[in-house]
Amino acid sequence: MKRIIFVIVLVLVAGSWGGNLWYYHKSQLPEPFFFNHYIEVENSPGFSFDLLYLENKSAKTKLNWIEIPELPNVQIWPNPAVNTYTHQTQGAMRVEIMDFDLVQPEFPENGPLVIHRVVAHFDDNSSKEMEIGEIQVHPADPKPGEAPLQGSSWGSSSEKAGYTRFKFTKDARLTGITSAYLPQLSDRLNVILDAASIRNLEQKEINFSSQGIYSGVPLEKVPFPLSFKSGEWATVTYQLDLPDSAGPVAKTDVYRFLLYMELETDQGVSSKERIFVDFAPYLTNREVADFVKDRRSGI
């Protein structure tokens, strides 16, 4: 009788251990993954951005650093523990563009330099190329015009929204608001413009939660060009809005790109004013688990 009981206990223990092993296996990423990024910067010292990634806590080899061969003028600052979850750790690679004395990138004749992969280096001395989404790097403007306005206030909220309020310092025309990512993100990026001369047009609201509600004319309905007198104000507000059908991978998307206010004075001087659209997700354990499940389904 004792032998039979002992065998049953062994079977139960083995079964429990096997279940735990199965659960552990299902909770592990097959390899580190970079999130999908929408990055847009200028090749000027001081511009920086983070490339976020997820890796297993118990991985035998960990991501050490990265290099971006197309950008020989950057410094990489690893931060392996931005956030910690049950089975994974979220890390970041801070990429900072350094001074002009360094070797500079080679830009195509038309359009920005576009990068989709980085070289990842691991602590066992191995390396491999990894997808990161997209980085668009624009050449620095050698003679940037002085924009005829100045920013007076700005802010952002947990609602994936941000605003910048400007005061015009000279009479000028706003001829457009553009971005490399406006066409690509048309289903998830709302941009509105508030100015006294267009408040009679159809308005749209963006909710900043505790910070209140901002209203303005949707970008696609603004009748550019708009004329401004010195001392007048304008506010550009944006909100990123993922569709309800967005999967677990889309919820980890990282955004740091530029909206350009294109301006022109009565003297014919053209200039641009930059507005940063900046959002990095703060994930829950459940969202990380869903991300891991999605990544594993592609094995």
Side-chain angles (χ1 to χ4, degrees), residues 199-246:
R199 285 182 183 149
N200 61 312
L201 302 180
E202 179 184 349
Q203 303 284 303
K204 182 175 183 178
E205 294 182 342
I206 290 180
N207 188 356
F208 266 62
S209 188
S210 61
Q211 298 186 40
I213 295 175
Y214 289 75
S215 62
V217 178
L219 185 58
E220 63 274 12
K221 295 185 178 181
V222 176
F224 294 113
L226 292 178
S227 294
F228 290 85
K229 294 292 185 181
S230 178
E232 290 187 327
W233 298 83
T235 303
V236 177
T237 308
Y238 72 83
Q239 185 171 47
L240 290 156
D241 183 20
L242 286 178
D244 293 337
S245 58

Side-chain angles (χ1 to χ4, degrees), residues 137-158:
V137 185
H138 299 273
D141 190 341
K143 295 181 180 180
E146 182 179 350
L149 47 72
Q150 61 184 18
S152 65
S153 62
W154 53 88
S156 60
S157 81
S158 59

Side-chain angles (χ1 to χ4, degrees), residues 44 66 73 85 114 146 151 156 159 179-180 201 223 226 235-236:
S44 298
I66 63 168
N73 59 331
Y85 302 96
V114 181
E146 182 179 350
S156 60
E159 305 298 320
S179 170
L201 302 180
L226 292 178
T235 303
V236 177

